[in-house]
């Protein structure tokens, strides 16, 4: 090749290189194959288990109704508070509760976002759950009747929530929680999205350290439905109750198989359970004696699907935690099971001016044996108000082993 040919070749290659550099600079990275940022979910410290001191604490957060951050105004506050009040007040309250109570798990019981005030559901979810993700605490959520009213379906919402940092939420359960032989597969033919069980293991170093001593059942109570031409709220379906009964059956007498020398009482051989969902069951309207305030008519479905009968027949559920009716924040006993409202948490949710937003705390304590911690001995609850002192009110025992 002549000297002139070499020069032309070098100039041509230089032109090609310059063109490629220019194209790379002009085309956004997200449009270049292989350049998308891949983000790995930050996992919670699992498995869930009791602390060394025999304690497991849950913070229940009901009805945040988060909208669009600082642009979303508060509802039912004094006129003097309105101008400076927004979703950020809800965020601040959640941070205060996490710092004050230092829970082992945060349970969100639905209407986490308020769909009609939420232009982008994913963005609002990232904001509303931001404080708990920043705390690095494990957290779980179910949906209410408003979450899906924005830009995502209920399935998409639960899928997104399950992939968020430190979330232990599940779209739907695996067969490993039931007596089904197809271990590891999703349970087929179950209604809703967000039905799952979380196992809480015994304290470190105890003989139950690798066994479930507490089960946390989460259920999707739906949103709205038409029944015989009448519009009503959703309800927990037969398929969900069938799954739940199967899960409970797996744990019946579970801990009796441990070392016989440890002399576990037969009453402690089946771990107790707590249940979380959003919309109350119809029987809640018939509760008589309550701890707390019963300030509004319970809004539930006209369909009674037999939730209470199922829970009673299972025998392990000691308390149920619900939301939906923001001005109800009581615990009432139905057939030996306590049903407790969380109380309205969010500032974009309806409430009563001058009546502080509130949250519920659940404390579960293990019994102390001669050598180590044993099974669950006591379940307690109280509420905290979003006032200057985070006032603690209505402390009560929900269940005490042996009583």
């Amino acid at each position: 090749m002549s000297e002139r040919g070499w020069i032309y070749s070098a100039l041509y290659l230089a032109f090609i290189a310059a063109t490629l550099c220019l194209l790379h600079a002009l085309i956004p990275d997200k449009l270049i194959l292989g350049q998308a940022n891949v983000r790995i979910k930050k996992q919670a410290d699992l498995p869930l288990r009791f602390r060394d001191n025999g304690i497991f604490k849950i913070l229940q957060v009901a009805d945040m109704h988060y909208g669009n951050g600082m642009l979303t105004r508060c509802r039912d506050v004094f006129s003097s508070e309105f101008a400076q009040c927004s979703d950020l007040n809800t965020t601040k309250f959640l941070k205060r509760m996490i710092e004050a109570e230092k829970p082992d798990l945060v349970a969100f019981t639905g209407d986490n976002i308020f769909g009609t005030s939420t232009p982008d559901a994913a963005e609002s979810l990232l904001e509303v759950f931001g404080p708990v993700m920043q705390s690095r605490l494990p957290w779980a959520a179910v949906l209410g009747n408003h979450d899906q009213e924005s830009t995502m379906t209920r399935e998409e919402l639960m899928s997104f929530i399950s992939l968020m940092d430190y979330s232990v939420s599940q779209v739907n359960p695996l067969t490993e929680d039931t007596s089904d032989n197809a271990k590891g597969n999703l349970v087929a033919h179950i209604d809703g999205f967000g039905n799952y069980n979380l196992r809480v293991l015994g304290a470190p170093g105890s003989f139950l350290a690798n066994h479930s001593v507490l089960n946390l059942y989460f259920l999707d109570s739906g949103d709205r439905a038409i029944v015989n031409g009448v519009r009503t709220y959703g309800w927990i379906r037969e398929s969900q109750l069938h799954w739940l009964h199967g899960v409970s059956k797996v744990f019946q007498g579970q801990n009796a198989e441990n070392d016989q020398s440890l002399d576990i009482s037969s009453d402690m051989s089946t771990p107790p359970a707590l249940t979380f969902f959003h919309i109350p069951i119809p029987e809640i309207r018939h509760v008589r004696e309550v701890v707390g305030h019963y300030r509004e008519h319970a809004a539930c479905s006209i369909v009674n699907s037999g939730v209470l009968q199922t829970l009673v027949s299972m025998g392990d559920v000691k308390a149920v935690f619900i939301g939906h009716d923001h001005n109800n924040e009581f615990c009432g006993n139905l057939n030996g099971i306590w049903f407790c409202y969380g109380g309205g948490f969010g500032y974009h949710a309806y409430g009563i001016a001058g009546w502080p937003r509130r949250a519920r705390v659940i404390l579960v304590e293990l019994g102390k044996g001669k050598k180590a911690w044993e099974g669950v001995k006591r379940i307690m609850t109280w509420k905290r108000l979003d006032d200057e002192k985070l006032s603690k009110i209505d402390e009560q025992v929900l269940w005490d082993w042996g009583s």
Side-chain angles (χ1 to χ4, degrees), residues 143-156:
L143 302 178
N145 54 292
H146 287 300
D147 293 279
Q148 78 291 335
E149 294 173 345
S150 178
T151 56
M152 300 171 75
T153 66
R154 295 178 74 81
E155 182 176 11
E156 290 168 342

Side-chain angles (χ1 to χ4, degrees), residues 290-302:
V290 301
V291 178
H293 294 86
Y294 194 158
R295 302 193 66 160
E296 66 175 297
H297 183 69
C300 53
S301 176
I302 62 174

Side-chain angles (χ1 to χ4, degrees), residues 372-390:
W373 294 108
E374 297 182 340
V376 173
K377 178 181 179 181
R378 182 180 297 113
I379 302 172
M380 302 178 62
T381 188
W382 60 84
K383 298 185 293 287
R384 285 198 182 271
L385 308 181
D386 191 20
D387 57 16
E388 184 178 351
K389 299 180 180 180
L390 279 180

Side-chain angles (χ1 to χ4, degrees), residues 44-117:
D45 185 13
L46 296 175
L48 298 176
R49 69 167 61 252
F50 280 76
R51 305 177 196 172
D52 290 328
N53 61 357
I55 293 296
F56 190 83
K57 185 187 287 188
I58 303 168
L59 169 62
Q60 181 198 2
V61 178
D63 297 278
M64 287 188 290
H65 279 236
Y66 199 91
N68 198 23
M70 66 181 301
L71 300 178
T72 302
R73 311 318 303 170
C74 297
R75 294 182 60 184
D76 297 325
V77 296
F78 290 130
S79 56
S80 59
E81 302 170 324
F82 184 78
Q84 302 299 321
C85 192
S86 71
D87 277 336
L88 300 187
N89 290 64
T90 303
T91 299
K92 182 180 178 181
F93 184 25
L94 181 54
K95 289 180 178 178
R96 292 182 73 199
M97 285 300 303
I98 290 173
E99 292 170 1
E101 289 289 357
K102 297 177 176 55
D104 300 290
L105 176 74
V106 182
F108 297 92
T109 50
D111 281 0
N112 310 296
I113 60 176
F114 191 59
T116 55
S117 300

